Amino acid sequence: MPISSPTPRTTPPPSIHVTGVHLSLGRTIIFENLTFQAEAGRFTGILGPSGVGKTTLLRLIAGLIPTHGATIGDSTGASLKGRLAWMAQKDLLLPWLSALDNVRLGARLRGKSANTEEHARALLHAVGLENRANDRPDT
């Protein structure tokens, strides 16, 4: 099953802008007035040793933790809410669900269950797992 191609854009996609992020854990300051932008259409790496706040920064950008006065949005000033997907450092597949049901889970949690099975099967096909759709992650 083919996956439909996205509609070509006539304007460049917006970049992600982060301004004035402050974060501390106890008395330890993790970020103080952190400002940066991740340009659209480019890969951006966040590097640093364990425990310096890389994942916390991504969680802030994704809206999973409060920003406390920071401005996080796109280059047009619009919110990123509902426009980002989060992939944790571990796969975190639900072991009691099949591969197909794990693929469909995000849409289900967003209340968008119409036509998701066909799309999920197309995604499994695209990565060579169409024959494993009913298998659980431990297999």
Side-chain angles (χ1 to χ4, degrees):
M1 289 181 224
I3 298 174
S4 61
S5 299
T7 305
R9 287 181 169 262
T10 57
T11 60
S15 56
I16 294 174
H17 287 237
V18 175
T19 306
V21 173
H22 297 277
L23 179 67
S24 60
L25 299 174
R27 293 183 172 186
T28 304
I29 296 173
I30 307 297
F31 308 127
E32 188 170 28
N33 199 26
L34 174 70
T35 299
F36 80 94
Q37 66 185 41
E39 292 298 328
R42 301 182 66 142
F43 290 99
T44 300
I46 300 172
L47 305 174
S50 180
V52 298
K54 300 178 299 291
T55 300
T56 301
L57 176 60
L58 293 174
R59 290 172 58 87
L60 281 163
I61 293 169
L64 298 175
I65 54 179
T67 58
H68 301 296
T71 303
I72 298 175
D74 71 16
S75 53
T76 70
S79 169
L80 300 175
K81 184 176 175 113
R83 297 168 52 199
L84 294 176
W86 174 261
M87 177 70 180
Q89 292 178 18
K90 295 183 179 183
D91 59 26
L92 300 176
L93 295 173
L94 299 179
W96 56 88
L97 294 180
S98 67
L100 180 65
D101 289 335
N102 268 290
V103 171
R104 295 178 66 195
L105 182 61
R108 191 174 109 207
L109 292 173
R110 290 188 304 275
K112 298 179 180 182
S113 58
N115 299 324
T116 60
E117 182 169 348
E118 183 179 335
H119 183 67
R121 287 187 183 281
L123 292 171
L124 288 172
H125 176 76
V127 297
L129 291 174
E130 66 272 17
N131 294 329
R132 307 298 302 268
N134 296 318
D135 292 351
R136 292 196 173 148
D138 63 343
T139 63

